[in-house]
Structures are given as C-alpha cells and as structure tokens.
Amino acid sequence: MKTIDELLADGVAGKRVFVRADLNVPLDGTTITDDGRIRAVLPTVAKLAEAGARVVVASHLGRPKGAPDPAFSLAPAAARLGELLGAEVAFATDTVGESAQRVVAGLADGQVAVLENLRFNPGETAKDDAERGAFADRLAALADLYVGDGFGAVHRRHASVFDLPARLPHAAGYLIANEVSVLKRLTENVERPYAVVLGGAKVSDKLGVIDHLLEKADRILIGGGMAYTFLKAQGHEVGISLLQEDQVPAVQEYLKRAEQRGVEFVLPVDVLVAPEFPDLKTKAPANPTTVAADAIPADQEGLDIGPETRKLYAAKLADAATVFWNGPMGVFEHPDYAEGTKAVAQALVDSPAFSVVGGGDSAAAVRILGFDENAFGHISTGGGASLEYLEGKTLPGLAALED
C-alpha cells in the first residue's frame, strides 16, 4: 500500500488530488455536534495543501436516498474544515455536475474544495458494477491522484471507495495508515492479557467479531442493549429490555465455546432499570432503580450497567495489556444512564494498557462525556470498519489501495 509520503515525494504541486475522507459527522440541524472525523482527516488535507496540491475532498453523510436532501448536506462540514485549516474552503453544491467542475477548475495550488454528499448520486452506492463504475469515471475526471483517508467507509464497496482508486494513481492517507497499524496490534502478536469490551444495542451487529475474538481475546466484557440477549441466554428474565430472541441460540453457543477455550465472558451483575425509555431531548430525570441482573422486573427495561458492574468491569480492565472497546454500556446520551459508559472510559484512562476505542458511538461518548482523547491509545474513526477488520474480513477500500 503506497503511503501519502511516497506520493508527496513524487511531487503533488499543481495536481488535483481527490481525498476520500469521512466527514460523516453528527448534526443537530446544521450544527455539528462532534467534529472528530473532520479533525482526523486534517493532517492529510493540510499536508497536501502545503505541498501545493489542489485538494478535492469528498465524503458521504448519513443515508440519503440517492438524491439531494438538504438535511444531509456537507456544507456544515466544509465550513468546519475551513475553520480548522485556517483557510477558505470552496464548496461544490453537487458531486460531479456543473458546480463541482467549476469549483475544481477554479482551485489554485494549495487550495481546498469539498464536494457535496457523494450519496446524493445513486451511482455511489449502486449494487450494479457498471452504474458504480460510471460514477467513478466522472469523479476521476475531477482529479489526477487519489488518496484514501475515509477509514469509516473502507468496508463499503462504493464508487468513491472501491472503484475510483483503480482509475487513478493512489495512496493511503495518514488516517488510514494509522488505523491499519493500530488494528494490526489487536490482531497480530497481541500483548496480553487482551480484554475486549462490547456494548451497543444489537448483539447481531457484534456476532462476527465475537466469533473471531473468541480465538484471540482473554476476556470479553458485555454491556449495552446487547447484554440482555446474553442474560436471556443464561435463562434470566429481562423484562421489556432490548432483546434479540432469535440470537439467543447463537449467544448460548458462544458462551459454551468461550468456556471450552478458557475465554472469560463477563456479564453485568446489576443494571439500572426504568418502566420506559428516557426522553433524550429534554433529558428529564428518569429516576432509575438498581436491580440484580438476574432479577429484572417483567415491566422494567434495562438501560445501563449498575454500580457493582462498573466496579467489576474496572477491575477486569485494570491488569489488561491491550483493550479494545466498541459500544456504550447504556443510554449514555441521558445523564441518568451515562455512568456505565463513563466508568469504562475512566477504567481505560486509568489502565496502563494500550487502549483502542473502536469508533462509532464509543468515540462519540468519549468526547461527549468530556474525556481527553489523548488519554487513550487510539480512538478509531470507523466503528463498522474496525469491527469488520477484527472479524478478519477483506475491506474493499483497503484492498483497492493495495498496489
């Protein structure tokens, strides 16, 4: 995989460099609530601009239906990128049309432009190779070189991620190179004890990574909504908690395999419950009750791990040499259910382990809850991509960058 430094050594001044970034930031209207992904691509964009490239940044945002939708415009991300660069960033109001062509043609050496949301064009996500290829051809006409730096999208077989690199000389940006380096530390010659913390809503989203990590991890800690499917698999009542009943047999099999392999599965011993899901807009007090994990009332919903579980998980992480964490422990967006996620984050800060926060909601939680990002070994920008890498899958966007 060619690096951006090799590309820079060959000279990029005056050349149009297409940077496939991941600017898929959370928005409240037009206000960015977490700019972590924009800041993550900044070193690549800044270095190219300093070297005199004419930088064309492109990304997706959200899941529009293959047509323009103002709710998913990249305009706020372009404005924020300009603020962080300390320079004006031009914005094209389409992806490959008249505006994109005009904006790119108007770039001078060292200037940066952002194209509108790539998913506004159906060719970006098309299943049909020809349709995707046709869109990639039009994107290629806007550039001379390609830099892949949108790690959060490399698990997608999309035009700008998979097809476009085949049409241009290409290299991996700093972000992707760093992400791959970190993930190798989680899969090759791992320092032990190796602890994995998995949370989030659905156990089905994590089955592949659990299957793969049963061969590598020493202990796996479970929290979030997915914990209730594990508790159900052990025969416990889970009330009206989030439950994937169809996944219970698979979870039972994983618990059995873990026992056979000597991998420690750690489940909540107590949880916070309430009769209904909290209001995340008003953040009105929820007044939860703490109950034993095997004694959840039939009319109650589990919404966070309890105080004893927080202590237990902190203890299980204290002696780890390597930790991978993906998924919050509860509904961290509400203050009454944020303590579990906060406790895991604090345990990683306190631990001497090499800690990787695996993107998605976990990365957002770390920032929203006020933790210093530098206190962790690495905060990934790609939740789904990180998980698929750890599953041992071939990621299309990384394969496309190989020479």
Side-chain angles (χ1 to χ4, degrees), residues 158-375:
H158 290 169
S160 65
V161 175
F162 179 74
D163 301 271
L164 184 55
R167 289 157 167 79
L168 295 169
H170 51 265
Y174 293 122
L175 172 60
I176 279 187
N178 189 40
E179 292 274 9
V180 172
S181 174
V182 166
L183 289 171
K184 283 184 176 179
R185 289 185 63 174
L186 299 179
T187 54
E188 302 173 9
N189 302 315
V190 185
E191 283 192 70
R192 298 186 179 282
Y194 180 16
V196 175
V197 186
L198 297 175
K202 296 181 178 179
V203 70
S204 57
D205 293 341
K206 306 291 197 303
L207 287 179
V209 76
I210 292 172
D211 182 64
H212 204 67
L213 287 172
L214 279 174
E215 308 298 319
K216 298 182 180 295
D218 296 303
R219 63 184 70 122
I220 300 175
L221 287 61
I222 302 294
M226 62 184 287
Y228 304 102
T229 301
F230 276 86
L231 292 171
K232 185 71 172 181
Q234 291 187 323
H236 302 311
E237 168 68 55
V238 296
I240 57 172
S241 305
L242 187 61
L243 172 66
Q244 289 187 284
E245 190 86 45
D246 61 326
Q247 301 297 335
V248 167
V251 168
Q252 289 173 329
E253 179 61 27
Y254 285 142
L255 290 171
K256 182 179 178 181
R257 276 179 55 198
E259 186 176 2
Q260 292 170 344
R261 294 191 59 82
V263 177
E264 184 181 10
F265 251 105
V266 190
L267 300 180
V269 295
D270 61 346
V271 296
L272 298 187
V273 300
E276 59 185 8
F277 197 82
D279 188 325
L280 299 183
K281 286 191 175 181
T282 65
K283 307 286 175 73
N287 301 315
T289 303
T290 301
V291 299
D294 60 358
I296 299 174
D299 62 347
Q300 300 283 304
E301 178 177 9
L303 295 161
D304 194 13
I305 59 174
E308 293 305 314
T309 304
R310 291 174 221 150
K311 294 177 189 175
L312 172 65
Y313 284 15
K316 294 294 182 181
L317 296 172
D319 68 339
T322 305
V323 180
F324 173 71
W325 171 32
N326 180 279
M329 297 293 98
V331 187
F332 73 93
E333 299 92 340
H334 192 287
D336 287 352
Y337 302 109
E339 292 303 317
T341 302
K342 195 180 295 184
V344 167
Q346 188 62 55
L348 297 192
V349 170
D350 295 339
S351 169
F354 174 65
S355 57
V356 178
V357 181
D361 286 342
S362 316
V366 163
R367 289 187 279 265
I368 290 170
L369 296 175
F371 286 90
D372 180 359
E373 294 181 47
N374 295 320

Side-chain angles (χ1 to χ4, degrees), residues 16 30 124 218 294 335 340:
R16 300 168 301 166
T30 60
E124 170 68 1
D218 296 303
D294 60 358

Side-chain angles (χ1 to χ4, degrees), residues 129 142 145 239 246 282:
D129 290 351
L142 298 173
L145 303 168
D246 61 326
T282 65

Side-chain angles (χ1 to χ4, degrees), residues 22-166:
D22 180 8
L23 307 181
N24 185 26
V25 292
L27 294 171
D28 181 2
T30 60
T31 301
I32 297 170
T33 57
D34 179 7
D35 67 356
R37 284 176 170 164
I38 301 175
R39 288 185 284 110
V41 79
L42 201 62
T44 291
V45 174
K47 192 75 170 182
L48 288 166
E50 288 168 10
R54 302 177 183 192
V55 187
V56 182
V57 181
S59 175
H60 70 287
L61 191 152
R63 298 191 178 187
K65 307 298 183 182
D69 183 338
F72 298 105
S73 175
L74 276 172
R80 181 59 179 149
L81 179 61
E83 291 173 359
L84 292 169
L85 285 171
E88 184 178 353
V89 168
F91 181 66
T93 57
D94 57 27
T95 56
V96 291
E98 182 181 339
S99 178
Q101 293 171 36
R102 184 179 66 254
V103 166
V104 173
L107 288 175
D109 293 0
Q111 290 188 328
V112 179
V114 173
L115 304 181
E116 184 54 284
N117 192 336
L118 291 166
R119 291 185 183 175
F120 285 0
N121 190 304
E124 170 68 1
T125 59
K127 302 294 185 186
D128 181 73
D129 290 351
E131 184 180 355
R132 235 181 28 251
F135 182 50
D137 286 339
R138 296 184 71 186
L139 290 172
L142 298 173
D144 305 303
L145 303 168
Y146 176 94
V147 172
D149 216 28
F151 182 74
V154 294
H155 59 314
R156 306 295 187 193
R157 196 182 180 92
H158 290 169
S160 65
V161 175
F162 179 74
D163 301 271
L164 184 55

